Amino acid sequence: MDIKQSVIKSLILGVMGLFTASYSFVASAQVSCGDVITTAEVLTQDLSCDLTAAEPDALTIVGPEGSLSMGDFSVTCDTGAGFGGAGIRILGQGAVLTGGTINECFDNIFIGGVGYHTVVGTELVGSVDDGIDIDSIFNNISGCIITDSGRVGVDMDDDFNTLSSCVVSLSVSDGIQVDDSFSNVFNNISTSNGGAGILIEGSSSNIISQNLIASNDGGGIVLEFTSSTNNVITGNFSELNLSFDLYDTVDPDCSGTNTWYANVAITKSPSCLD
């Protein structure tokens, strides 16, 4: 072998070594079931995760450094969803989740920690309990599709959250349940749920606006409990819901602190709702 061939061979072997090292690094960095994500990660394959009592969550994202871009890939809780975990549990502060599909987990997404998290464009299908359970403050959820939730499509349990441009359908109970305060629910579609399209339940100072609410079995936009005060319900389109399209259960003469105006609806209780 002459010097030129020897040099070429050495270069080829060197490049192959670099390729192998690079490939090994990528393979070891793949997101896997049970991972706790604390840096920016990209999902590169569908995951089917067997959950256990010791490992109840398929994935956990911890902010502020943790983020996950799911692309067109999915996370499915193959067995063990009854352990009460989540498809993706979001903790810490300022974590980000984008894209993808999460299937058949107890809560498909659980949002906890300090808050200030972002979820954009994720599809949630067939949860045992809630499609999205929000248990922290100042989170922003937008552009999600939530279907076939075993209980509530989106359960808002803490304050100062924003839910926008989502489609929620076929939940066993309510499509969107607002149990928090100082939140903004706008430009969503909530349809064909077993409960209310949007239920405002013991919560105050929320703005519910420009939502399309249709064909829900438990009513369109429903306000319950005397502790629900200072809410503004405006510019919504609510029709073809069983019971009433707009339903305030605590204020029979529209003299209370909740404001209903410029909504489009056919059936109302009380009839003075606007």
Side-chain angles (χ1 to χ4, degrees):
M1 180 182 299
D2 60 25
I3 295 175
K4 182 177 180 180
Q5 288 176 322
S6 177
V7 170
I8 291 172
K9 182 177 180 181
S10 296
L11 287 172
I12 291 172
L13 291 172
V15 170
M16 289 178 64
L18 288 172
F19 177 80
T20 302
S22 176
Y23 178 81
S24 299
F25 175 78
V26 171
S28 65
Q30 281 187 343
V31 175
S32 301
C33 293
D35 281 357
V36 177
I37 296 169
T38 58
T39 57
E41 300 289 349
V42 176
L43 191 63
T44 58
Q45 60 182 345
D46 293 333
L47 297 181
S48 182
C49 301
D50 294 332
L51 305 184
T52 66
E55 195 172 272
D57 304 319
L59 295 172
T60 302
I61 307 172
V62 181
E65 287 83 9
S67 68
L68 178 63
S69 175
M70 294 183 64
D72 293 327
F73 294 103
S74 65
V75 171
T76 301
C77 296
D78 186 50
T79 61
F83 284 111
I88 295 184
R89 184 175 297 272
I90 301 177
L91 299 175
Q93 178 175 325
V96 177
L97 171 66
T98 60
T101 303
I102 305 171
N103 302 289
E104 300 174 7
C105 305
F106 186 79
D107 291 331
N108 278 334
I109 296 177
F110 180 91
I111 303 175
V114 175
Y116 298 85
H117 306 299
T118 300
V119 178
V120 179
T122 304
E123 184 172 0
L124 298 310
V125 182
S127 63
V128 175
D129 195 51
D130 298 332
I132 303 177
D133 189 352
I134 306 171
D135 275 26
S136 58
I137 59 173
F138 286 108
N139 301 290
N140 192 335
I141 297 89
S142 64
C144 294
I145 300 173
I146 304 104
T147 58
D148 291 305
S149 301
R151 196 181 75 89
V152 174
V154 181
D155 191 3
M156 304 175 70
D157 286 327
D158 214 328
D159 300 335
F160 299 103
N161 290 294
T162 299
L163 178 73
S164 65
S165 303
C166 294
V167 178
V168 186
S169 63
L170 301 173
S171 303
V172 170
S173 186
D174 305 311
I176 300 167
Q177 188 168 301
V178 184
D179 297 324
D180 60 348
S181 298
F182 302 101
S183 289
N184 197 347
V185 178
F186 71 95
N187 199 34
N188 302 285
I189 297 172
S190 185
T191 182
S192 303
N193 298 290
I198 298 177
L199 176 65
I200 306 164
E201 183 179 52
S203 57
S204 301
S205 303
N206 301 289
I207 300 175
I208 313 297
S209 65
Q210 298 179 310
N211 301 284
L212 171 60
I213 313 298
S215 304
N216 297 285
D217 291 345
I221 302 175
V222 179
L223 185 146
E224 294 183 342
F225 303 148
T226 56
S227 55
S228 294
T229 59
N230 298 306
N231 296 287
V232 176
I233 303 98
T234 182
N236 300 283
F237 187 97
S238 183
E239 289 192 355
L240 304 176
N241 301 284
L242 295 183
S243 182
F244 297 100
D245 295 321
L246 303 178
Y247 189 17
D248 188 331
T249 68
V250 299
D251 186 10
D253 58 3
C254 301
S255 62
T257 62
N258 295 296
T259 302
W260 302 71
Y261 72 95
N263 298 289
V264 176
I266 296 175
T267 58
K268 309 172 185 179
S269 178
S271 60
C272 54
L273 294 177
D274 183 16

